[in-house]
């Protein structure tokens, strides 16, 4: 496992304040939105991760980077990790989080999304949204003059993918050339992981039941990026084949939030896609198990795998905070307040 020592060595190679990817991303991303992981180039993704590693190692350097910045979290769906990692993250950089529960009053119902945007931008510096419709996020982004961040929609979960690939870098040193396998529903998490994986040069294999493949536009885009980056995207309906030679096997719930009415129908369809010890044994010996969480224990993954030695699920959860801190620093121009960057 890529230990703290490895990360410290890597950090020592090129100081973050001189890293050209980080400096270019700081200039390009200030004031931008993150609706899709596809909004980021390969070098911007690498920049977020490099900064995320530094934030994790040296949190005190960033203690006042976002002093007095206000972040609103407007969530139409439940959350543990995303809410708390954003709140703790901004609090540890001097900013403040305001949680606005939209679970009983979906965005756009009481007033138009454009009008919400034109109000909220007057009070806060960044809007973090968790929604059903992906269009709610793009519409907010089109109308707000402050950055809008997708904290999960029905179509994508970009912040999750940033943390997950940061975790893979931590574990393996680099994501480039890794065999990354996702088995289960071709859903929001799957979409963001596919795009993030190929941006970083990983070979991405997706194993889903028939009828539950990822969106064709995402597949096409991922294949285009993969071609540029010398890696590949494979789709299969055979979970065992998907797991062969994998360095990482990732799964998610087969019933996402908002799809609960399909639970009974989906359970038998997804049973062959359960990640259990037999499936893990098809992967490489060094393989890790990943899950965005929350997990439905002994449905999409067994206890033995989730709690086993190959599982890195809680490192993923921890890294949500560090990766999002890096993202917020770049979107809000926070590096200007970090001494080592402004010298
Ligand atoms: N992985 C994730 O987004 O978790 P929450 O739904 O708890 O935020
Ligand atoms: N696919 C899941 C992810 C939860 C973090 C959902 O949308 O409910």
């Amino acid at each position: 496992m890529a230990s703290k020592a490895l990360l410290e060595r890597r950090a020592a190679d090129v100081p973050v304040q001189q890293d050209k990817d980080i400096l270019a991303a700081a200039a390009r991303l200030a004031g931008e939105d993150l609706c899709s992981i596809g909004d980021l180039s390969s070098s911007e993704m690498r920049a977020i991760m490099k900064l995320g590693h530094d934030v994790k190692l040296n949190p005190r350097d960033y203690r006042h980077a976002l002093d007095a910045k206000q972040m609103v979290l407007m969530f139409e769906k439940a959350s543990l990790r995303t809410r708390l990692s954003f709140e703790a993250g901004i609090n540890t950089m001097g900013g403040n989080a305001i949680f606005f529960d939209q679970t009983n009053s979906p965005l756009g119902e009481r007033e138009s999304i454009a009008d919400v945007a034109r109000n909220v931008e007057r009070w806060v510096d960044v809007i973090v949204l968790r929604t059903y419709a992906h269009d709610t996020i793009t519409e907010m982004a089109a109308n707000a003059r402050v950055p809008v961040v997708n904290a999960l929609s029905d179509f994508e979960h970009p912040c999750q993918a940033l943390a997950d690939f940061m975790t893979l870098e931590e574990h393996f040193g680099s994501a480039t050339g890794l065999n990354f396998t996702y088995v289960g529903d071709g859903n929001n998490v799957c979409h963001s992981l596919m795009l993030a994986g190929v941006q970083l040069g990983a070979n991405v294999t997706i194993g889903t039941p028939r009828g539950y493949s990822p969106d064709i536009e995402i597949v096409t885009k991922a294949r285009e990026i993969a071609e540029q980056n010398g890696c590949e995207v494979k789709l299969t309906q055979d979970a065992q084949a998907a797991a062969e030679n994998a360095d990482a096997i990732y799964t998610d719930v087969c019933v996402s939030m908002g799809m609960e009415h399909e639970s009974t129908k989906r359970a038998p369809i997804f049973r062959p896609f359960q990640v259990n010890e037999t499936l893990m044994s098809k992967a490489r010996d060094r393989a890790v198990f990943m899950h965005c969480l929350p997990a439905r224990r002994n449905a999409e993954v067994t206890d033995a795998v989730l709690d086993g030695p190959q599982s890195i699920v809680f490192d993923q959860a921890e890294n949500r905070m560090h990766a999002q801190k890096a993202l917020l620093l770049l979107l809000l121009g926070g590096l200007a307040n970090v001494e080592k960057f402004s010298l």
Side-chain angles (χ1 to χ4, degrees):
M1 163 161 177
S3 55
K4 195 163 177 245
L6 184 141
L7 293 172
E8 276 162 353
R9 260 203 320 280
R10 181 189 303 146
D13 288 344
V14 183
V16 278
Q17 61 273 26
Q18 286 165 23
D19 185 282
K20 58 182 182 0
D21 286 339
I22 294 179
L23 298 177
R28 218 285 291 165
L29 294 179
E32 293 294 320
D33 305 306
L34 181 68
C35 297
S36 160
I37 198 78
D39 295 346
L40 299 171
S41 67
S42 297
S43 62
E44 287 161 358
M45 279 195 57
R46 287 183 204 280
I48 292 169
M49 283 169 208
K50 282 188 253 190
L51 192 54
H53 293 304
D54 193 61
V55 162
K56 184 171 181 175
L57 276 176
N58 304 301
R60 285 194 198 158
D61 291 356
Y62 300 87
R63 185 67 193 89
H64 297 288
L66 296 182
D67 267 354
K69 295 286 186 195
Q70 300 298 312
M71 171 182 70
V72 69
L73 299 158
M74 305 176 89
F75 280 26
E76 295 180 340
K77 292 173 174 167
S79 173
L80 173 74
R81 279 146 291 272
T82 308
R83 175 180 177 178
L84 293 182
S85 58
F86 264 109
E87 291 193 4
I90 199 159
N91 289 344
T92 57
M93 296 190 290
N96 180 56
I98 303 162
F99 186 72
F100 198 49
D101 184 356
Q102 303 281 163
T103 50
N104 293 319
S105 128
L107 284 154
E109 202 172 84
R110 184 162 178 259
E111 62 189 302
S112 76
I113 292 162
D115 283 348
V116 172
R118 291 189 284 246
N119 280 268
V120 174
E121 67 180 15
R122 302 290 178 116
W123 309 310
V124 306
D125 301 286
V126 57
I127 302 172
V128 179
L129 289 180
R130 171 165 281 204
T131 65
Y132 286 92
H134 188 72
D135 287 351
T136 303
I137 291 176
T138 51
E139 200 176 335
M140 190 75 80
N143 286 284
R145 288 174 300 178
V146 295
V148 169
V149 175
N150 179 353
L152 181 144
S153 68
D154 281 348
F155 198 59
E156 273 211 54
H157 197 0
C159 297
Q160 181 71 50
L162 289 172
D164 294 339
F165 278 91
M166 179 180 158
T167 309
L168 283 167
E169 283 191 352
E170 212 171 56
H171 195 87
F172 290 109
S174 165
T176 307
L178 284 185
N179 293 333
F180 178 85
T181 287
Y182 174 97
V183 288
D185 190 16
N187 62 13
N188 45 8
V189 170
C190 174
H191 290 163
S192 293
L193 289 171
M194 286 178 77
L195 294 175
V198 291
Q199 284 285 33
L200 296 169
N203 297 307
V204 175
T205 300
I206 307 293
T208 64
R210 187 184 299 277
Y212 296 90
S213 324
D215 182 89
I216 186 65
E217 271 182 41
I218 297 278
V219 175
T220 307
K221 191 167 178 178
R223 288 204 159 125
E224 282 167 14
I225 299 169
E227 203 171 317
Q228 289 159 21
N229 290 344
C231 52
E232 56 182 7
V233 175
K234 283 191 214 151
L235 300 189
T236 172
Q237 286 156 8
D238 179 345
Q240 308 292 318
E244 262 169 40
N245 277 326
D247 293 304
I249 296 190
Y250 196 123
T251 193
D252 183 13
V253 289
C254 62
V255 181
S256 285
M257 290 181 277
M259 304 299 290
E260 291 80 1
H261 58 283
E262 292 197 13
S263 295
T264 311
K265 177 182 137 196
R266 285 182 176 229
I269 297 172
F270 280 87
R271 200 157 293 132
F273 291 79
Q274 183 190 64
V275 182
N276 49 37
E277 285 168 304
T278 308
L279 195 80
M280 285 304 293
S281 72
K282 308 276 177 206
R284 289 186 167 164
D285 289 345
R286 66 173 192 168
V288 292
F289 170 71
M290 304 179 78
H291 194 306
C292 55
L293 303 178
R296 278 186 48 240
R297 284 176 171 271
N298 302 311
E300 76 275 5
V301 56
T302 57
D303 282 346
V305 171
L306 190 63
D307 300 328
Q310 290 167 289
S311 176
I312 55 169
V313 299
F314 299 112
D315 293 336
Q316 294 173 252
E318 177 182 348
N319 287 336
R320 293 294 306 277
M321 183 175 81
H322 306 300
Q324 286 156 198
K325 284 174 75 170
L327 176 69
L328 291 173
L329 283 164
L330 295 171
L331 300 184
L332 301 184
L335 295 185
N337 305 323
V338 177
E339 204 179 325
K340 64 187 176 188
F341 280 90
S342 52
L343 287 175

